[in-house]
Amino acid sequence: GYPDGLKASQIPLESRILGIVDSYVTMTSERVYSPTLTREAAVEEIKRGAGTQFDPELVSIFLEIVIKTPELAEKP
């Protein structure tokens, strides 16, 4: 919603989805400025953000997909 102060469903659906996915990928990817989180730690972090940083309904759907798709944890 930044910088326009948008909240909840005012934020476009695509943006809410990308926010969750981008956060997960960032947390589970190697970065020079932060440690790589395990899949489990990233899932817990996404869960913590449900309802504040992330749309809780979309988090639920995202986590179903991540949990059912172990190859998402594999690195290229």
Side-chain angles (χ1 to χ4, degrees):
Y2 178 84
D4 298 323
L6 302 178
K7 296 178 183 178
S9 62
Q10 295 174 329
I11 301 169
L13 176 62
E14 296 87 352
S15 298
R16 289 182 277 147
I17 293 168
L18 285 173
I20 296 168
V21 174
D22 182 59
S23 294
Y24 179 82
V25 169
T26 299
M27 287 185 265
T28 58
S29 297
E30 197 171 313
R31 306 277 190 217
V32 294
Y33 54 84
S34 66
T36 304
L37 296 183
T38 65
R39 177 184 181 176
E40 294 77 18
V43 164
E44 288 305 313
E45 192 64 33
I46 296 289
K47 285 180 184 177
R48 275 193 287 281
T52 55
Q53 183 177 358
F54 307 118
D55 180 320
E57 203 171 311
L58 294 176
V59 165
S60 179
I61 295 166
F62 175 78
L63 294 178
E64 279 184 47
I65 293 167
V66 168
I67 290 167
K68 291 179 182 176
T69 315
E71 58 270 17
L72 290 176
E74 295 176 6
K75 303 292 182 214

